């Protein structure tokens, strides 16, 4: 089976000013672009795996503008740029209904026969013909998070990559089929969570990281000083149970007949400890939330207590990637719960 991947060896100049909603004017299907540069091996960068997370596009536009010359680009390092879910980007959504998530379809995915997985296999086949310097996958969050990196293999190079971006980073091994995990055996790899779409400080950090990587001859050989990076890991995921109606306390659509109400400004808890007994939601039903461990086991009873409808944690944990977007919550989760790695 062949995918609809387009492969180019130059970038139309309109790319530098286009918005994610117009991306289909340039790329009708997911597109992999090879850009020559002075240094090798190449850097692999993926953007718009989630269609509404447009910071990656803006970051690459800034990088390319910096190295634009008359008639092309004079890049310090060779780049493979993958522009992922162009259909979802045009619609301004994470993914289209019925599509397999572009960041759940990489080698290791539980669903290797989906159209998206077939497409990603074509990308991998092309970019891994030669060695890669590093792989960066650019994303945004829907809630208020600081910028942070996610790595799945804990090794010195990945720790350096993460520490160049921020002093806190997350280690993850699930869900399967995420881009960064597919590179574990190949090259240093990181997911850059660049806060909310368009967030300027996060854009700057990602820009600086990519620019540094384009000039670096090799990764530092000394181990990273322990205090330079706090590694946290996902210990659990909180989802809304099926058929539960829910809202956020600060929603305009907030209505008293919902099964579950999540407290106001819950996303301000991102990357700060949610204390034991601190109420974060109100529920009228028995099991409104489902908590699963990293290996998929239901651990709701171990993590959450329900005191006459007031939901809190049984032990202090750090929530992250809290989404205040109801659609994302239903597609993905309410939040992750972190602990020190
Ligand atoms: Zn994403």
């Amino acid at each position: 089976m062949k995918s609809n991947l387009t492969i180019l060896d130059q970038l139309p100049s309109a790319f530098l000013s286009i918005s994610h909603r117009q991306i289909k004017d340039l790329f009708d299907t997911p597109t992999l672009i090879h850009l020559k540069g002075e240094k090798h091996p190449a850097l692999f960068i993926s953007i718009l795996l989630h269609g509404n997370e447009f910071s990656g596009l803006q970051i690459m536009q800034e990088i390319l503008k910096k190295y634009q010359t008359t008639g092309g680009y004079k890049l310090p390092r060779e780049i493979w740029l993958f522009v992922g879910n162009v259909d979802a980007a045009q619609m301004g959504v994470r993914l289209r209904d019925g599509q397999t998530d572009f960041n759940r379809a990489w080698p290791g995915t539980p669903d290797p026969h989906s159209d998206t997985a077939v497409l990603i296999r074509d990308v991998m086949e092309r970019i891994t013909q030669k060695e890669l310097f590093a792989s960066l996958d650019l994303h945004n969050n829907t809630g208020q998070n600081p910028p942070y990196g996610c790595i799945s293999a804990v090794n010195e190079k990945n720790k350096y990559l993460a520490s160049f971006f921020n002093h806190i980073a997350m280690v993850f091994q699930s869900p399967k089929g995420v881009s960064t995990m597919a590179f574990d055996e190949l090259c240093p790899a990181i997911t850059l969570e660049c806060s909310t779409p368009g967030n300027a400080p996060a854009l700057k950090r990602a820009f600086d990281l990519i620019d540094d990587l384009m000039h670096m001859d090799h990764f530092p050989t000394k181990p990273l000083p322990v205090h330079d990076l706090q590694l946290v890991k996902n210990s659990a995921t909180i989802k809304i149970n099926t058929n539960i109606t829910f809202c956020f306390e600060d929603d305009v659509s907030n209505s008293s007949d919902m099964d579950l109400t999540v407290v106001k400004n819950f996303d301000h808890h991102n990357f700060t400890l949610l204390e034991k007994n601190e109420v974060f939601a109100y529920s009228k039903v028995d099991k409104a939330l489902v908590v699963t461990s990293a290996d998929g086991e239901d651990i709701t009873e171990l993590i959450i207590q329900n005191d006459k409808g007031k939901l809190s944690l049984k032990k202090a944990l750090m929530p992250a990637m809290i989404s205040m977007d109801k659609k994302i919550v239903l597609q993905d989760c309410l939040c992750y719960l972190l602990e020190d790695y």
Side-chain angles (χ1 to χ4, degrees):
M1 193 159 53
K2 221 182 133 30
S3 74
N4 61 351
L5 178 68
T6 305
I7 301 179
L8 301 176
D9 56 12
Q10 52 189 329
L11 200 55
S13 59
F15 180 83
L16 297 191
S17 52
I18 206 159
S19 88
H20 66 297
R21 302 297 297 267
Q22 306 163 309
I23 200 88
K24 290 263 283 182
D25 298 351
L26 288 187
F27 306 129
D28 194 41
T29 69
T31 301
L32 177 66
I33 307 120
H34 182 234
L35 297 167
K36 289 198 184 75
E38 257 165 68
K39 286 185 203 287
H40 311 280
L43 200 55
F44 173 67
I45 298 170
S46 47
I47 63 171
L48 294 172
L49 294 192
H50 293 145
N52 54 353
E53 300 176 10
F54 56 79
S55 283
L57 173 62
Q58 295 179 332
I59 291 159
M60 290 314 294
Q61 286 171 333
E62 291 310 309
I63 290 281
L64 291 163
K65 276 180 205 162
K66 178 170 176 180
Y67 296 105
Q68 191 177 26
T69 58
T70 42
Y73 305 96
K74 196 171 170 5
L75 294 174
R77 179 179 294 281
E78 180 188 354
I79 288 181
W80 283 107
L81 174 63
F82 178 48
V83 184
N85 199 340
V86 292
D87 293 309
Q90 183 188 40
M91 295 167 70
V93 295
R94 178 185 168 100
L95 71 162
R96 272 177 38 194
D97 289 340
Q99 268 187 329
T100 298
D101 189 316
F102 272 51
N103 202 23
R104 301 289 184 273
W106 295 72
T109 174
D111 186 14
H113 302 295
S114 70
D115 289 349
T116 314
V118 172
L119 168 90
I120 298 298
R121 259 203 306 280
D122 281 354
V123 174
M124 286 301 279
E125 198 182 290
R126 194 57 183 255
I127 62 172
T128 57
Q129 283 173 9
K130 287 186 190 160
E131 195 189 336
L132 292 170
F133 188 65
S135 162
L136 307 182
D137 185 21
L138 306 188
H139 287 260
N140 291 112
N141 295 147
T142 42
Q144 291 301 322
N145 285 288
Y148 63 94
C150 296
I151 57 175
S152 62
V154 180
N155 56 45
E156 289 306 314
K157 286 180 179 174
N158 282 349
K159 277 163 49 182
Y160 268 107
L161 266 185
S163 71
F164 293 155
F165 192 50
N166 205 345
H167 59 82
I168 189 163
M170 194 165 131
V171 180
F172 73 101
Q173 263 94 35
S174 77
K176 300 295 176 199
V178 170
S179 155
T180 292
M181 256 189 281
F183 292 89
D184 278 352
E185 307 295 320
L186 301 171
C187 65
I190 190 166
T191 310
L192 300 182
E193 296 287 356
C194 302
S195 194
T196 45
N199 178 282
L203 287 174
K204 171 87 172 66
R205 278 178 194 253
F207 176 92
D208 289 344
L209 169 58
I210 294 171
D211 206 19
D212 284 350
L213 290 172
M214 294 223 288
H215 289 92
M216 249 165 71
D217 285 319
H218 53 76
F219 279 82
T221 46
K222 277 198 304 200
L224 182 75
V226 183
H227 294 293
D228 284 8
L229 182 66
Q230 182 191 4
L231 281 180
V232 291
K233 68 170 181 182
N234 181 17
S235 66
T237 308
I238 304 186
K239 293 190 182 206
I240 311 278
N241 211 347
T242 36
N243 301 322
I244 294 294
T245 56
F246 81 101
C247 64
F248 295 100
E249 215 173 14
D250 33 1
D251 259 0
V252 262
S253 61
N254 183 0
S255 137
S256 52
D257 42 66
M258 295 286 178
D259 299 325
L260 178 78
T261 306
V262 177
V263 295
K264 199 172 166 177
N265 297 331
F266 184 44
D267 60 342
H268 292 186
H269 269 292
N270 272 320
F271 288 93
T272 52
L273 222 49
L274 184 62
E275 299 294 344
K276 180 183 169 182
N277 299 332
E278 191 177 346
V279 177
F280 67 90
Y282 302 94
S283 173
K284 290 183 189 156
V285 294
D286 231 4
K287 198 179 176 185
L289 296 172
V290 180
V291 186
T292 45
S293 67
D295 44 24
E297 201 189 327
D298 186 333
I299 51 167
T300 313
E301 299 304 317
L302 286 173
I303 301 288
I304 291 186
Q305 51 195 2
N306 183 341
D307 176 21
K308 300 188 194 83
K310 292 182 191 149
L311 305 187
S312 62
L313 298 181
K314 286 185 172 174
K315 62 171 179 176
L317 286 163
M318 188 191 282
M321 284 189 266
I322 295 171
S323 181
M324 302 291 277
D325 178 328
K326 285 173 88 165
K327 198 165 176 200
I328 303 278
V329 171
L330 294 173
Q331 272 173 1
D332 201 14
C333 65
L334 176 64
C335 70
Y336 294 94
L337 295 171
L338 308 181
E339 59 190 348
D340 274 329
Y341 179 77

